[in-house]
Amino acid sequence: MADYGMSSEELEQMYQEVILEASKTPHGKVSFTAEQGQQATIGVDSLSAGESTLSATHEYCVPAQSHQFNPTCGDEVTVRVEISDGTDGKPQHIEHLVWDGQGCSISQASLSIMVDLVDGKTVDEAMELFHAFHKLMESRGAGLDDEAMEEELGDAVVFQGVSRYPMRIKCALLGWEGLKDSMAQALAQMNAKEA
């Protein structure tokens, strides 16, 4: 990881500030129970009962969602995604990505930065970023050896320091796991329609 001419302590402080700022003003966060004017509303209570109705905002999209819970610290999130089915003439891509949940600053910041990174990307590009972020979290603080991969991760590289703490890695990965699961559900729905 580039040090930008800063000491490791200064760099760590800068990364902590980025995480705190991203958690205070999270991108992509909505309240599913308080949505106004949306076709789909989902409350956390209805999720546990298996009652949910999802509607896509575009006719060429398939919606899906995933609820993730970290029992270690209590973080929880529902990630909702709409994947284009390809009938719009473009590759399958993330047309819309939002989330609702609560948790520590690491989980909330990770979700916010994830939305910035993957919204509008193709499914393949989003999965490449998913794998790159996982690799960063597996680095135990060493970071990535691949500068191109670090560049792709953008602001997500601030979680390099988090990767030193095994109990916090789950916090950083929670939203990414929700993204992967919700995309898989949307793709499975598309495949089922084709069959």
Side-chain angles (χ1 to χ4, degrees):
M1 177 180 297
D3 63 11
Y4 307 104
M6 303 170 106
S7 71
S8 62
E9 292 83 22
E10 290 171 321
L11 202 56
E12 188 68 28
Q13 179 66 30
M14 181 184 77
Y15 291 157
Q16 288 175 2
E17 290 173 13
V18 170
I19 289 171
L20 286 174
E21 182 60 32
S23 70
K24 288 179 183 175
T25 56
H27 299 168
K29 185 173 183 176
V30 298
S31 176
F32 293 155
T33 57
E35 286 179 323
Q36 300 296 325
Q38 294 290 323
Q39 292 179 325
T41 58
I42 297 176
V44 175
D45 293 336
S46 68
L47 288 173
S48 60
E51 302 167 13
S52 62
T53 303
L54 286 176
S55 298
T57 55
H58 302 285
E59 62 207 30
Y60 56 85
C61 289
V62 175
Q65 72 177 21
S66 175
H67 184 77
Q68 301 289 314
F69 177 68
N70 181 352
T72 306
C73 65
D75 293 349
E76 104 179 86
V77 66
T78 301
V79 176
R80 186 182 295 171
V81 67
E82 291 182 31
I83 304 289
S84 70
D85 62 10
T87 60
D88 62 347
K90 300 176 185 174
Q92 292 174 333
H93 65 278
I94 298 172
E95 186 71 34
H96 190 64
L97 175 63
V98 292
W99 60 275
D100 189 14
Q102 63 277 335
C104 68
S105 60
I106 292 170
S107 69
Q108 303 296 280
S110 181
L111 280 153
S112 178
I113 291 171
M114 178 192 74
V115 167
D116 291 344
L117 283 174
V118 303
D119 199 17
K121 299 278 191 206
T122 67
V123 170
D124 289 342
E125 290 168 336
M127 285 308 299
E128 286 175 19
L129 288 165
F130 170 88
H131 291 299
F133 191 75
H134 261 267
K135 191 171 183 177
L136 178 68
M137 290 295 96
E138 294 166 0
S139 76
R140 301 290 189 220
L144 301 173
D145 294 333
D146 185 340
E147 281 189 40
M149 194 180 293
E150 279 187 357
E151 190 70 30
E152 286 179 36
L153 283 176
D155 285 347
V157 297
V158 301
F159 294 95
Q160 176 180 324
V162 171
S163 72
R164 281 187 245 135
Y165 308 101
M167 297 302 286
R168 306 309 291 181
I169 292 170
K170 290 179 182 181
C171 301
L173 290 174
L174 189 69
W176 290 87
E177 293 297 332
L179 172 68
K180 178 183 171 188
D181 186 48
S182 60
M183 287 194 312
Q185 289 180 40
L187 294 172
Q189 290 177 48
M190 285 181 215
N191 290 338
K193 286 181 184 178
E194 293 173 3

